[in-house]
Amino acid sequence: MCDDHGHPAAEAAWSAPRVAEGPAVDPVTLPEVDEVTVTTMVDNTFDALLASAEGVTRAPVGTGRTAAPQFAGGETVAGLRAEHGFSALVTVRTGNASSTLLFDTGASPDALAVNAERLGVDVGGLQGVVLSHGHFDHAGGFDGLARLRGRSGLPLTLHPAVWTRRRLELPTGERLELPTGERLEMPTLSRAALEREGFEVIERRQPSLLAGGVLITGEVDRVTEFEHGMPRAHQAWDGSGWRHDPLVIDDQALVINVRGRGLVVVTGCGHAGVVNIVRHAMRLTGVGSLLALIGGFHLSGAAFEPVIGPTVAALTELAPELIVPGHCTGWRAQHTLAAALPGAWVQTSVGTTYTLKAPQTGAA
Protein backbone atom coordinates (compact mmCIF):
# COMPACT_ATOMS: atom_id res chain seq x y z
CA MET A 1 0.00 0.00 0.00
CA CYS A 2 1.09 3.52 -0.74
CA ASP A 3 0.50 5.09 2.69
CA ASP A 4 -0.69 8.35 1.20
CA HIS A 5 -2.57 9.35 4.36
CA GLY A 6 0.44 9.19 6.67
CA HIS A 7 -0.10 7.19 9.85
CA PRO A 8 -3.27 8.56 11.52
CA ALA A 9 -3.75 8.16 15.23
CA ALA A 10 -7.41 7.26 14.94
CA GLU A 11 -9.57 5.62 12.31
CA ALA A 12 -12.17 8.38 12.59
CA ALA A 13 -9.68 11.08 11.69
CA TRP A 14 -8.60 9.24 8.56
CA SER A 15 -12.08 8.31 7.33
CA ALA A 16 -13.82 11.64 8.00
CA PRO A 17 -15.06 13.48 4.89
CA ARG A 18 -12.69 16.18 3.77
CA VAL A 19 -12.99 19.24 1.59
CA ALA A 20 -11.04 18.91 -1.65
CA GLU A 21 -8.11 21.31 -1.78
CA GLY A 22 -7.00 23.81 -4.36
CA PRO A 23 -9.22 24.16 -7.44
CA ALA A 24 -12.08 22.39 -5.63
CA VAL A 25 -12.66 25.50 -3.53
CA ASP A 26 -13.67 27.71 -6.45
CA PRO A 27 -15.51 26.88 -9.67
CA VAL A 28 -13.41 25.31 -12.41
CA THR A 29 -13.82 26.85 -15.83
CA LEU A 30 -14.97 23.81 -17.78
CA PRO A 31 -15.01 24.41 -21.53
CA GLU A 32 -18.24 23.65 -23.36
CA VAL A 33 -18.10 20.88 -25.97
CA ASP A 34 -20.27 20.32 -29.02
CA GLU A 35 -20.67 16.60 -28.57
CA VAL A 36 -19.79 13.74 -26.23
CA THR A 37 -20.13 10.04 -26.93
CA VAL A 38 -19.84 7.40 -24.23
CA THR A 39 -19.46 3.76 -25.28
CA THR A 40 -19.84 1.04 -22.65
CA MET A 41 -16.84 -1.24 -23.16
CA VAL A 42 -17.32 -3.46 -20.11
CA ASP A 43 -20.37 -3.85 -17.88
CA ASN A 44 -22.35 -6.54 -16.10
CA THR A 45 -24.88 -6.88 -18.92
CA PHE A 46 -24.88 -7.59 -22.65
CA ASP A 47 -28.21 -7.84 -24.45
CA ALA A 48 -27.83 -8.32 -28.21
CA LEU A 49 -31.55 -7.80 -28.87
CA LEU A 50 -31.93 -4.28 -27.46
CA ALA A 51 -33.06 -1.76 -30.06
CA SER A 52 -31.31 1.50 -30.84
CA ALA A 53 -33.08 4.81 -30.29
CA GLU A 54 -32.30 8.49 -30.74
CA GLY A 55 -28.91 9.09 -29.17
CA VAL A 56 -28.58 5.43 -28.15
CA THR A 57 -26.78 3.10 -30.58
CA ARG A 58 -26.73 -0.59 -29.73
CA ALA A 59 -24.09 -3.03 -30.95
CA PRO A 60 -25.31 -5.05 -33.95
CA VAL A 61 -26.61 -8.56 -33.21
CA GLY A 62 -23.78 -10.14 -35.21
CA THR A 63 -20.98 -8.26 -33.43
CA GLY A 64 -17.92 -10.41 -32.88
CA ARG A 65 -17.11 -13.70 -34.60
CA THR A 66 -14.83 -16.40 -33.31
CA ALA A 67 -13.61 -19.84 -34.34
CA ALA A 68 -16.04 -22.68 -33.56
CA PRO A 69 -15.35 -25.99 -35.34
CA GLN A 70 -18.76 -27.47 -34.47
CA PHE A 71 -20.42 -25.09 -36.97
CA ALA A 72 -20.31 -25.43 -40.74
CA GLY A 73 -17.87 -22.76 -41.83
CA GLY A 74 -15.90 -23.09 -38.60
CA GLU A 75 -17.04 -19.94 -36.80
CA THR A 76 -19.87 -18.49 -34.72
CA VAL A 77 -21.21 -15.16 -33.52
CA ALA A 78 -19.61 -14.52 -30.13
CA GLY A 79 -21.23 -11.26 -29.09
CA LEU A 80 -19.52 -9.13 -26.46
CA ARG A 81 -18.07 -9.96 -23.05
CA ALA A 82 -20.05 -9.00 -19.94
CA GLU A 83 -18.56 -9.32 -16.45
CA HIS A 84 -18.77 -7.74 -13.01
CA GLY A 85 -16.71 -4.72 -13.99
CA PHE A 86 -16.89 -1.41 -15.79
CA SER A 87 -15.14 0.44 -18.59
CA ALA A 88 -16.26 3.27 -20.85
CA LEU A 89 -14.80 4.97 -23.91
CA VAL A 90 -15.41 8.73 -23.83
CA THR A 91 -14.98 10.97 -26.88
CA VAL A 92 -15.52 14.73 -26.80
CA ARG A 93 -15.73 16.94 -29.87
CA THR A 94 -15.61 20.71 -30.27
CA GLY A 95 -15.73 21.92 -33.86
CA ASN A 96 -13.44 19.64 -35.86
CA ALA A 97 -11.24 18.75 -32.89
CA SER A 98 -11.91 15.60 -30.85
CA SER A 99 -10.18 13.58 -28.16
CA THR A 100 -10.83 10.12 -26.73
CA LEU A 101 -10.00 8.61 -23.37
CA LEU A 102 -10.75 5.37 -21.56
CA PHE A 103 -12.41 5.41 -18.15
CA ASP A 104 -11.64 2.20 -16.22
CA THR A 105 -10.66 -1.13 -17.78
CA GLY A 106 -13.05 -3.80 -16.49
CA ALA A 107 -12.30 -6.77 -14.26
CA SER A 108 -10.54 -9.46 -16.29
CA PRO A 109 -7.30 -9.13 -18.29
CA ASP A 110 -8.98 -9.76 -21.65
CA ALA A 111 -12.64 -8.60 -21.65
CA LEU A 112 -11.86 -5.00 -22.57
CA ALA A 113 -9.43 -6.05 -25.30
CA VAL A 114 -11.84 -8.64 -26.74
CA ASN A 115 -14.71 -6.16 -26.81
CA ALA A 116 -12.52 -3.46 -28.37
CA GLU A 117 -11.50 -5.83 -31.16
CA ARG A 118 -15.05 -7.03 -31.79
CA LEU A 119 -16.39 -3.47 -31.84
CA GLY A 120 -13.58 -2.27 -34.09
CA VAL A 121 -12.33 0.27 -31.55
CA ASP A 122 -8.82 1.53 -32.30
CA VAL A 123 -7.23 1.91 -28.86
CA GLY A 124 -4.17 3.37 -30.54
CA GLY A 125 -6.12 6.62 -30.80
CA LEU A 126 -6.54 7.03 -27.04
CA GLN A 127 -5.21 10.25 -25.51
CA GLY A 128 -5.26 8.82 -21.98
CA VAL A 129 -6.78 6.53 -19.38
CA VAL A 130 -8.51 7.57 -16.15
CA LEU A 131 -9.07 5.16 -13.26
CA SER A 132 -12.14 5.82 -11.12
CA HIS A 133 -10.68 3.96 -8.11
CA GLY A 134 -8.45 1.04 -7.23
CA HIS A 135 -10.95 -1.84 -6.96
CA PHE A 136 -9.96 -4.78 -9.16
CA ASP A 137 -13.23 -4.83 -11.17
CA HIS A 138 -12.25 -1.46 -12.66
CA ALA A 139 -8.51 -2.02 -13.00
CA GLY A 140 -8.20 -5.56 -14.36
CA GLY A 141 -7.96 -4.90 -18.09
CA PHE A 142 -4.66 -3.04 -18.36
CA ASP A 143 -2.80 -6.11 -19.64
CA GLY A 144 -5.18 -6.57 -22.56
CA LEU A 145 -5.09 -2.86 -23.33
CA ALA A 146 -1.29 -2.91 -23.40
CA ARG A 147 -1.37 -5.96 -25.68
CA LEU A 148 -3.50 -4.11 -28.22
CA ARG A 149 -1.48 -0.90 -28.02
CA GLY A 150 2.00 -2.29 -27.63
CA ARG A 151 4.22 -0.83 -24.94
CA SER A 152 3.80 2.75 -26.11
CA GLY A 153 3.44 5.43 -23.45
CA LEU A 154 -0.07 6.43 -22.43
CA PRO A 155 -0.98 8.82 -19.58
CA LEU A 156 -2.90 7.12 -16.77
CA THR A 157 -4.50 9.51 -14.28
CA LEU A 158 -5.51 8.15 -10.90
CA HIS A 159 -5.81 9.01 -7.21
CA PRO A 160 -2.75 8.10 -5.09
CA ALA A 161 -4.88 5.88 -2.83
CA VAL A 162 -5.56 3.36 -5.62
CA TRP A 163 -2.54 1.37 -4.35
CA THR A 164 -4.31 0.70 -1.03
CA ARG A 165 -4.62 -2.94 0.04
CA ARG A 166 -8.27 -3.75 0.69
CA ARG A 167 -10.31 -6.72 1.74
CA LEU A 168 -13.83 -7.83 2.62
CA GLU A 169 -14.34 -9.32 6.08
CA LEU A 170 -17.86 -10.40 6.93
CA PRO A 171 -19.18 -10.98 10.46
CA THR A 172 -19.31 -14.59 11.65
CA GLY A 173 -22.28 -16.36 10.12
CA GLU A 174 -22.81 -13.71 7.43
CA ARG A 175 -21.14 -15.14 4.36
CA LEU A 176 -21.00 -13.90 0.79
CA GLU A 177 -19.81 -17.13 -0.82
CA LEU A 178 -16.23 -15.96 -0.47
CA PRO A 179 -13.76 -18.57 -1.74
CA THR A 180 -11.51 -18.19 1.32
CA GLY A 181 -14.32 -18.25 3.88
CA GLU A 182 -15.15 -14.98 5.56
CA ARG A 183 -12.27 -12.90 4.15
CA LEU A 184 -11.36 -11.92 0.64
CA GLU A 185 -8.33 -9.76 0.03
CA MET A 186 -8.81 -7.90 -3.22
CA PRO A 187 -6.08 -7.80 -5.86
CA THR A 188 -4.01 -4.64 -5.40
CA LEU A 189 -2.66 -2.60 -8.29
CA SER A 190 1.10 -2.40 -8.82
CA ARG A 191 2.51 0.88 -10.05
CA ALA A 192 5.69 -0.82 -11.24
CA ALA A 193 3.71 -3.33 -13.30
CA LEU A 194 1.65 -0.57 -14.94
CA GLU A 195 4.77 1.38 -15.80
CA ARG A 196 6.37 -1.75 -17.29
CA GLU A 197 3.32 -2.05 -19.54
CA GLY A 198 3.95 1.46 -20.85
CA PHE A 199 1.54 3.56 -18.80
CA GLU A 200 2.69 6.97 -17.54
CA VAL A 201 1.19 7.10 -14.05
CA ILE A 202 -0.06 10.53 -12.96
CA GLU A 203 -1.40 10.85 -9.40
CA ARG A 204 -4.02 13.50 -8.68
CA ARG A 205 -6.09 14.23 -5.56
CA GLN A 206 -7.45 17.50 -6.88
CA PRO A 207 -9.64 18.13 -9.91
CA SER A 208 -7.83 17.72 -13.23
CA LEU A 209 -8.85 19.17 -16.57
CA LEU A 210 -7.89 16.99 -19.52
CA ALA A 211 -7.45 18.01 -23.15
CA GLY A 212 -10.74 18.33 -24.98
CA GLY A 213 -12.74 19.53 -21.98
CA VAL A 214 -13.03 16.51 -19.66
CA LEU A 215 -12.87 17.17 -15.92
CA ILE A 216 -11.77 14.56 -13.38
CA THR A 217 -13.52 15.41 -10.13
CA GLY A 218 -10.69 14.64 -7.72
CA GLU A 219 -11.79 13.69 -4.20
CA VAL A 220 -15.55 14.12 -3.89
CA ASP A 221 -17.07 16.12 -1.03
CA ARG A 222 -19.50 14.02 1.05
CA VAL A 223 -22.48 16.27 1.78
CA THR A 224 -25.65 14.17 1.72
CA GLU A 225 -27.14 12.75 4.90
CA PHE A 226 -27.91 9.35 3.40
CA GLU A 227 -24.80 8.30 1.44
CA HIS A 228 -22.61 6.73 4.14
CA GLY A 229 -20.11 4.80 2.04
CA MET A 230 -19.01 1.20 2.39
CA PRO A 231 -20.11 -1.02 5.31
CA ARG A 232 -17.72 -2.29 7.97
CA ALA A 233 -16.93 -5.38 5.89
CA HIS A 234 -14.87 -3.18 3.55
CA GLN A 235 -11.43 -2.76 5.11
CA ALA A 236 -8.05 -1.28 4.22
CA TRP A 237 -4.52 -2.03 5.47
CA ASP A 238 -2.93 0.97 7.18
CA GLY A 239 0.56 -0.49 7.55
CA SER A 240 -0.03 -2.14 10.90
CA GLY A 241 -3.55 -3.55 10.72
CA TRP A 242 -6.89 -3.68 8.95
CA ARG A 243 -9.43 -0.92 9.56
CA HIS A 244 -12.84 0.02 8.24
CA ASP A 245 -12.55 1.89 4.92
CA PRO A 246 -15.97 3.53 4.37
CA LEU A 247 -15.01 6.28 1.94
CA VAL A 248 -12.94 4.68 -0.82
CA ILE A 249 -11.39 8.15 -0.96
CA ASP A 250 -9.86 7.47 -4.39
CA ASP A 251 -13.33 7.42 -6.00
CA GLN A 252 -13.47 9.92 -8.88
CA ALA A 253 -15.78 10.62 -11.81
CA LEU A 254 -15.63 12.31 -15.22
CA VAL A 255 -17.55 15.49 -16.04
CA ILE A 256 -18.19 17.04 -19.47
CA ASN A 257 -20.12 20.27 -20.16
CA VAL A 258 -22.23 20.03 -23.33
CA ARG A 259 -22.89 23.50 -24.72
CA GLY A 260 -26.36 24.74 -23.92
CA ARG A 261 -27.51 21.48 -22.27
CA GLY A 262 -25.54 20.81 -19.09
CA LEU A 263 -23.24 18.27 -17.49
CA VAL A 264 -22.58 14.68 -18.48
CA VAL A 265 -21.27 12.74 -15.46
CA VAL A 266 -19.69 9.29 -15.83
CA THR A 267 -19.11 7.27 -12.66
CA GLY A 268 -17.22 4.04 -12.02
CA CYS A 269 -18.89 2.64 -8.90
CA GLY A 270 -20.07 5.86 -7.35
CA HIS A 271 -18.57 4.96 -3.96
CA ALA A 272 -18.66 8.64 -2.98
CA GLY A 273 -22.44 8.50 -3.45
CA VAL A 274 -23.88 9.25 -6.85
CA VAL A 275 -25.78 12.29 -5.54
CA ASN A 276 -22.64 13.57 -3.81
CA ILE A 277 -20.79 13.15 -7.11
CA VAL A 278 -23.34 15.11 -9.14
CA ARG A 279 -23.54 17.90 -6.57
CA HIS A 280 -19.74 18.03 -6.39
CA ALA A 281 -19.55 18.30 -10.19
CA MET A 282 -22.07 21.14 -10.18
CA ARG A 283 -20.23 22.98 -7.43
CA LEU A 284 -16.88 22.58 -9.16
CA THR A 285 -18.11 23.82 -12.51
CA GLY A 286 -20.84 26.26 -11.54
CA VAL A 287 -23.12 24.48 -14.04
CA GLY A 288 -26.51 23.80 -12.45
CA SER A 289 -28.10 21.38 -14.94
CA LEU A 290 -27.52 17.63 -15.28
CA LEU A 291 -27.85 16.35 -18.84
CA ALA A 292 -26.77 12.73 -18.36
CA LEU A 293 -25.58 10.34 -15.65
CA ILE A 294 -23.91 7.11 -16.78
CA GLY A 295 -22.13 4.35 -14.85
CA GLY A 296 -22.22 2.45 -11.57
CA PHE A 297 -24.35 3.85 -8.73
CA HIS A 298 -23.52 1.16 -6.10
CA LEU A 299 -27.03 0.65 -4.77
CA SER A 300 -27.00 -3.15 -4.73
CA GLY A 301 -27.13 -5.31 -1.61
CA ALA A 302 -28.54 -5.05 1.90
CA ALA A 303 -26.15 -2.28 2.99
CA PHE A 304 -27.19 0.03 0.13
CA GLU A 305 -30.81 -0.74 -0.64
CA PRO A 306 -32.04 1.61 2.14
CA VAL A 307 -30.32 4.42 0.20
CA ILE A 308 -32.29 3.77 -3.00
CA GLY A 309 -35.29 5.90 -1.96
CA PRO A 310 -33.49 9.16 -1.13
CA THR A 311 -31.07 8.66 -4.04
CA VAL A 312 -33.87 8.28 -6.57
CA ALA A 313 -35.71 11.25 -5.05
CA ALA A 314 -32.62 13.46 -5.39
CA LEU A 315 -31.93 12.31 -8.96
CA THR A 316 -35.56 12.85 -9.91
CA GLU A 317 -35.28 16.44 -8.69
CA LEU A 318 -32.16 16.91 -10.81
CA ALA A 319 -34.18 15.74 -13.85
CA PRO A 320 -31.47 14.38 -16.18
CA GLU A 321 -32.40 13.84 -19.81
CA LEU A 322 -30.50 10.53 -19.84
CA ILE A 323 -29.72 8.16 -17.00
CA VAL A 324 -27.91 4.86 -17.59
CA PRO A 325 -27.30 3.02 -14.30
CA GLY A 326 -24.93 0.10 -14.75
CA HIS A 327 -22.47 -2.26 -13.10
CA CYS A 328 -23.10 -2.20 -9.31
CA THR A 329 -26.43 -0.33 -9.35
CA GLY A 330 -28.50 -3.46 -8.68
CA TRP A 331 -31.88 -4.58 -9.98
CA ARG A 332 -33.98 -2.97 -7.22
CA ALA A 333 -32.48 0.44 -7.92
CA GLN A 334 -32.82 -0.11 -11.67
CA HIS A 335 -36.54 -0.78 -11.35
CA THR A 336 -37.03 2.20 -9.06
CA LEU A 337 -35.12 4.55 -11.33
CA ALA A 338 -36.94 3.28 -14.43
CA ALA A 339 -40.28 3.95 -12.75
CA ALA A 340 -39.29 7.40 -11.45
CA LEU A 341 -37.54 8.61 -14.64
CA PRO A 342 -39.21 6.68 -17.49
CA GLY A 343 -38.28 9.22 -20.13
CA ALA A 344 -34.60 9.32 -19.15
CA TRP A 345 -33.77 5.76 -18.00
CA VAL A 346 -32.03 3.51 -20.54
CA GLN A 347 -31.03 -0.12 -20.07
CA THR A 348 -27.27 -0.54 -19.99
CA SER A 349 -25.58 -3.06 -22.29
CA VAL A 350 -21.98 -3.63 -23.37
CA GLY A 351 -21.26 -2.06 -26.74
CA THR A 352 -23.88 0.68 -26.47
CA THR A 353 -22.92 4.21 -27.49
CA TYR A 354 -24.70 7.25 -26.02
CA THR A 355 -24.42 10.47 -28.03
CA LEU A 356 -25.21 13.86 -26.52
CA LYS A 357 -24.99 16.92 -28.77
CA ALA A 358 -25.24 20.65 -28.28
CA PRO A 359 -28.19 22.39 -29.97
CA GLN A 360 -27.50 23.31 -33.58
CA THR A 361 -26.50 26.93 -34.00
CA GLY A 362 -29.29 28.91 -35.60
CA ALA A 363 -31.83 26.12 -35.14
CA ALA A 364 -35.43 27.29 -35.03
Side-chain angles (χ1 to χ4, degrees):
M1 165 181 169
C2 174
D3 193 3
D4 185 69
H5 305 283
H7 195 63
E11 174 185 316
W14 183 87
S15 62
R18 66 195 71 188
V19 175
E21 298 173 350
V25 175
D26 299 308
V28 174
T29 302
L30 183 58
E32 293 182 318
V33 305
D34 292 332
E35 179 181 283
V36 56
T37 62
V38 180
T39 299
T40 304
M41 299 300 298
V42 178
D43 206 338
N44 295 39
T45 303
F46 171 62
D47 186 342
L49 301 181
L50 290 173
S52 297
E54 183 178 358
V56 179
T57 305
R58 303 295 188 179
V61 173
T63 297
R65 292 184 174 270
T66 190
Q70 69 269 34
F71 292 101
E75 67 175 16
T76 188
V77 175
L80 298 171
R81 296 274 186 91
E83 63 180 13
H84 184 79
F86 185 75
S87 176
L89 193 73
V90 179
T91 299
V92 295
R93 179 186 62 80
T94 302
N96 294 323
S98 66
S99 60
T100 301
L101 59 86
L102 187 69
F103 184 56
D104 289 347
T105 66
S108 64
D110 62 342
L112 170 62
V114 167
N115 288 343
E117 290 178 313
R118 292 178 181 174
L119 288 168
V121 172
D122 178 16
V123 297
L126 292 174
Q127 274 78 55
V129 182
V130 178
L131 192 59
S132 66
H133 63 296
H135 282 164
F136 66 95
D137 49 332
H138 297 255
F142 283 105
D143 182 69
L145 178 60
R147 174 179 63 80
L148 290 185
R149 285 184 51 86
R151 293 303 192 263
S152 59
L154 186 65
L156 167 59
T157 305
L158 45 74
H159 188 284
V162 302
W163 321 114
T164 304
R165 284 178 59 195
R166 290 176 168 128
R167 75 176 186 183
L168 296 175
E169 182 174 34
L170 300 182
T172 302
E174 185 181 331
R175 296 180 181 270
L176 190 65
E177 301 301 325
L178 298 181
T180 54
E182 294 179 352
R183 294 174 182 154
L184 172 64
E185 183 165 347
M186 303 180 192
T188 304
L189 270 178
S190 164
R191 177 170 185 153
L194 288 170
E195 290 176 337
R196 284 196 300 271
E197 289 181 341
F199 296 99
E200 178 190 346
V201 176
I202 303 167
E203 295 185 352
R204 290 285 188 273
R205 281 183 174 276
Q206 298 176 353
S208 301
L209 188 60
L210 303 182
V214 178
L215 177 69
I216 308 173
T217 59
E219 292 182 10
V220 175
D221 291 343
R222 317 301 169 101
V223 297
T224 66
E225 295 180 354
F226 53 88
E227 292 171 314
H228 303 299
M230 297 292 281
R232 295 202 65 83
H234 186 261
Q235 300 179 347
W237 180 257
D238 68 0
S240 59
W242 293 97
R243 44 148 177 80
H244 181 207
D245 177 20
L247 292 186
V248 192
I249 198 65
D250 42 319
D251 185 74
Q252 304 185 89
L254 299 185
V255 184
I256 305 102
N257 185 14
V258 178
R259 176 173 50 82
R261 298 188 68 188
L263 299 180
V264 175
V265 179
V266 185
T267 67
C269 261
H271 285 298
V274 70
V275 178
N276 277 330
I277 291 169
V278 172
R279 291 179 180 175
H280 185 77
M282 289 179 167
R283 185 181 67 80
L284 281 178
T285 63
V287 178
S289 58
L290 176 65
L291 172 59
L293 180 60
I294 301 170
F297 297 1
H298 215 289
L299 295 170
S300 181
F304 295 97
E305 287 177 0
V307 183
I308 293 174
T311 299
V312 173
L315 293 178
T316 301
E317 185 176 350
L318 289 165
E321 294 184 35
L322 174 70
I323 187 165
V324 189
H327 182 38
C328 51
T329 302
W331 69 270
R332 291 185 188 276
Q334 290 279 14
H335 281 261
T336 308
L337 284 161
L341 295 161
W345 180 87
V346 173
Q347 171 66 52
T348 185
S349 179
V350 177
T352 303
T353 297
Y354 308 95
T355 303
L356 298 135
K357 298 181 180 181
Q360 292 185 2
T361 303

